[in-house]
């Protein structure tokens, strides 16, 4: 299909154009664990990367491959590896590409589990500096001769800080650093990290791409912009077997997926693939709802602050307008000191109390008491997370019903 076709058109017809059996419009679910060959030489060639094929489903499966192809198209990339979860994708990328003594520059505002993982890896010999990624100069100042990677997110969860993505990208390109952008909060529909010179793009497919809260998944996409011959940690045997532009993503598949075992099941891949077909439609509605809800919440006397890039008082509002199609469907707000955030949440009837995000339904969670509890009060202050913060993942309900739910909840707190 012509690459100039629209985002949704390309996604909808991706499976069909691969010509599945019997004219199916979706790639079927292949549950096979292993794959047989008539000639053993063909199996050997697959193992030695001389031919395409499947040997063992821990590192490859036709249903998963079809999803990987869709993600690659969405991100206008070179190739994608899918994983069982977003955190499996993050872990595999770091473990596959880095070694003791290497240095990473990471955003101070990273998702709590990603930061926790990095702190674990620091105990194994990685050097990591956490800096304010909204200021590209801080990334530059943290650079060391052994810096191998910069890791940021497009929109931070939960306080919605936006990294200085283009400035960081130019710096990484200049220095030959692998630039990893977690695009989960924006989704490929709202933003293409390739436009800011990202080397690798990570997603929790569980969130907006899958979109229905019915399957876990993660992915890493190579944009094709990084010159892997500059990267010192590629295994020599892969340099011998693989084309230079594919050695990075192949090492992630071999050393990250195959060796660590974070395999996406074919059933989950199918759910995520079908869910991805309505990504643009869902994001349009959810972002519209988020904007209206943010404006409403900002006017409420019991709320101290609303964190949403679509609001003109957001510190990176101008940057968000320049980068993203819409400012996203994630927001947070802090209640006034006299309001118990747990008591307030219990008054909401339509909005669901849940730890997920990117669902079709609007979900809420008290941040300091749950997903960022283990980081401790000091780290929460550093990440600009007040104790009364509530995160909202805005869904696709009728906006009048969402606002009505908040109105009745506020009324019970007076």
């Amino acid at each position: 299909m012509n690459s100039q076709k629209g985002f949704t058109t390309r996604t909808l017809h991706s499976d069909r154009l691969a010509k599945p059996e019997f004219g199916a419009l979706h790639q079927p679910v292949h549950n096979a664990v292993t794959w047989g060959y008539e000639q053993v030489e063909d199996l050997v060639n697959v193992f030695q990367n001389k031919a395409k094929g499947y040997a063992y489903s821990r590192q490859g499966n036709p249903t998963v491959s079809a999803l990987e192809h869709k993600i690659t198209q969405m991100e206008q990339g070179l190739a994608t590896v899918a994983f069982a979860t977003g955190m499996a994708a993050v872990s595999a990328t770091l473990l596959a590409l880095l070694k003791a003594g290497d240095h990473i520059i990471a955003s101070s505002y990273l998702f709590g589990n990603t930061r926790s993982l990095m702190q674990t890896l620091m105990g194994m010999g990685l050097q990591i500096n956490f800096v304010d990624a909204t200021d590209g100069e801080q990334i530059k100042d943290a650079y060391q001769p052994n810096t191998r990677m910069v890791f940021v997110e497009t929109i931070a969860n939960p306080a919605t800080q936006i990294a200085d993505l283009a400035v960081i990208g130019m710096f990484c390109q200049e220095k030959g650093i692998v630039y990893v952008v977690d695009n989960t909060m924006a989704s490929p529909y709202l933003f293409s990290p390739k436009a800011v010179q990202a080397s690798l793009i990570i997603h929790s497919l569980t969130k907006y791409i899958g979109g229905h809260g019915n399957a876990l998944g993660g992915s890493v996409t190579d944009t094709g912009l990084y010159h892997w011959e500059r990267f010192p940690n590629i295994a020599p045997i892969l340099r011998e077997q693989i084309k230079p532009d594919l050695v990075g993503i192949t090492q992630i598949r071999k050393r990250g997926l195959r060796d660590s075992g974070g395999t996406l099941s074919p059933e989950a891949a199918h759910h995520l693939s079908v869910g991805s077909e309505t990504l643009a439609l869902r994001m349009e509605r959810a972002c519209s709802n988020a904007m209206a809800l943010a404006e409403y919440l900002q006017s409420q006397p019991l709320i101290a602050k609303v964190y949403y890039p679509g609001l003109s008082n957001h510190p990176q509002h101008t940057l968000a307008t320049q980068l993203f199609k819409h400012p996203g469907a994630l927001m947070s707000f802090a209640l006034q000191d006299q309001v118990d955030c747990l008591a307030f949440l219990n008054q909401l009837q339509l909005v669901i109390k849940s730890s997920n995000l990117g669902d079709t339904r609007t979900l809420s969670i008290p941040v300091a008491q749950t997903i960022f509890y283990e980081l401790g009060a000091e780290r929460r202050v550093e990440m600009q997370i007040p104790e009364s913060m509530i995160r909202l993942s805005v869904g696709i309900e009728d906006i009048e019903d969402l606002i009505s739910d908040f109105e009745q909840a506020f009324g019970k707190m007076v």
Side-chain angles (χ1 to χ4, degrees), residues 44-110:
V44 170
N45 287 336
V46 169
F47 264 86
Q48 294 183 6
N49 302 306
K50 295 176 182 177
K52 292 183 178 180
Y54 302 96
Y56 190 61
S57 279
R58 181 166 11 100
Q59 63 179 335
N61 172 287
T63 311
V64 176
S65 294
L67 173 64
E68 291 172 342
H69 179 62
K70 279 189 176 182
I71 305 305
T72 301
Q73 285 186 311
M74 287 181 180
E75 289 291 12
Q76 305 167 56
L78 182 66
T80 295
V81 180
F83 295 85
T85 66
M87 281 309 305
V90 173
S91 301
T93 300
L94 299 179
L95 292 172
L97 296 180
L98 300 170
K99 61 183 181 180
D102 286 344
H103 177 243
I104 306 174
I105 306 170
S107 170
S108 295
Y109 310 121
L110 287 180

Side-chain angles (χ1 to χ4, degrees), residues 174-377:
E174 173 192 336
K175 295 293 186 181
I177 304 167
V178 175
Y179 183 24
V180 181
V181 178
D182 186 327
N183 196 29
T184 298
M185 292 301 107
S187 86
Y189 178 66
L190 298 186
F191 178 64
S192 172
K194 188 173 181 178
V196 294
Q197 309 299 314
S199 311
L200 299 171
I201 303 169
I202 289 180
H203 282 284
S204 170
L205 302 176
T206 314
K207 311 303 191 296
Y208 295 107
I209 289 177
H212 292 78
N214 60 354
L216 293 168
S219 66
V220 181
T221 299
D222 189 325
T223 64
L225 297 180
Y226 186 76
H227 301 293
W228 290 101
E229 65 270 15
R230 306 175 68 177
F231 195 70
N233 295 349
I234 298 297
I237 193 166
L238 291 182
R239 292 199 191 275
E240 296 171 8
Q241 295 178 343
I242 306 296
K243 293 179 181 179
D245 58 344
L246 289 171
V247 295
I249 198 71
T250 302
Q251 183 153 307
I252 291 172
R253 184 180 293 279
K254 298 287 187 180
R255 304 295 169 89
L257 175 61
R258 180 195 65 191
D259 293 356
S260 63
T263 305
L264 179 65
S265 75
E267 293 87 352
H270 178 74
H271 284 305
L272 295 167
S273 183
V274 173
S276 73
E277 295 175 355
T278 58
L279 173 60
L281 306 180
R282 289 183 283 103
M283 291 305 291
E284 286 287 343
R285 175 64 171 250
C287 291
S288 173
N289 281 354
M291 187 72 241
L293 192 56
E295 291 173 340
Y296 164 77
L297 292 173
Q298 191 170 231
S299 70
Q300 299 306 302
L302 293 183
I303 288 184
K305 184 176 181 179
V306 179
Y307 303 76
Y308 183 63
L311 296 174
S312 60
N313 62 358
H314 189 281
Q316 290 89 47
H317 172 70
T318 300
L319 183 60
T321 302
Q322 294 169 348
L323 291 172
F324 308 139
K325 188 185 296 287
H326 301 296
L330 182 85
M331 72 173 71
S332 294
F333 61 90
L335 292 160
Q336 298 287 0
D337 290 341
Q338 72 272 19
V339 182
D340 184 326
C341 69
L342 302 186
F344 174 77
L345 280 171
N346 283 333
Q347 299 305 322
L348 292 171
Q349 299 171 1
L350 180 64
V351 176
I352 301 166
K353 279 72 77 175
S354 172
S355 62
N356 191 26
L357 58 88
D359 200 303
T360 49
R361 305 156 189 81
T362 298
L363 310 176
S364 62
I365 192 167
V367 176
Q369 297 81 2
T370 57
I371 52 177
F372 282 84
Y373 177 74
E374 290 185 13
L375 286 184

Side-chain angles (χ1 to χ4, degrees), residues 379-397:
R379 294 292 189 196
R380 289 197 292 271
V381 170
E382 177 189 338
M383 298 180 70
Q384 302 175 14
I385 298 172
E387 298 300 297
S388 66
M389 177 180 276
I390 291 172
R391 186 189 74 189
L392 290 179
S393 170
V394 182
I396 62 172
E397 298 95 340

